[in-house]
Amino acid sequence: MIVPIESISTEALEGLIEEFVTRDGTDYGYDETPLISRVEQVKKKLQNKEIVVLFNEATDEVNLVLSERLKG
């Protein structure tokens, strides 16, 4: 289920984004990108609906997913 970002508190959304951008295996290229920059990049993608918040009811897990991955 896609969760509208407007229904998530600012603090919860910030925590979700920070967890997402700091996961093992997240690669931002050769040079290290500051956390604040990575968070802002994801926020913009959420606002532009390039990324959505996806809640899996079966596992109670929340994840950020590229919108294009849901099409098909």
Side-chain angles (χ1 to χ4, degrees):
M1 164 176 61
I2 295 176
V3 180
I5 60 171
E6 300 80 22
S7 68
I8 305 171
S9 73
T10 303
E11 294 83 13
L13 186 59
E14 190 82 18
L16 179 62
I17 294 169
E18 285 185 19
E19 187 275 330
F20 179 77
V21 300
T22 58
R23 285 182 189 166
D24 286 341
T26 305
D27 186 11
Y28 286 86
Y30 183 72
D31 295 322
E32 182 65 28
T33 304
L35 177 62
I36 190 77
S37 297
R38 292 183 278 165
V39 168
E40 288 304 314
Q41 289 172 5
V42 171
K43 281 183 182 178
K44 286 180 185 177
K45 289 181 184 284
L46 281 165
Q47 291 167 346
N48 293 335
K49 308 225 185 288
E50 295 175 55
I51 294 175
V52 295
V53 178
L54 195 63
F55 175 69
N56 183 327
E57 296 177 62
T59 61
D60 285 336
E61 293 177 334
V62 178
N63 202 359
L64 299 179
V65 179
L66 288 171
S67 299
E68 65 187 32
R69 296 187 80 196
L70 301 176
K71 297 175 186 173

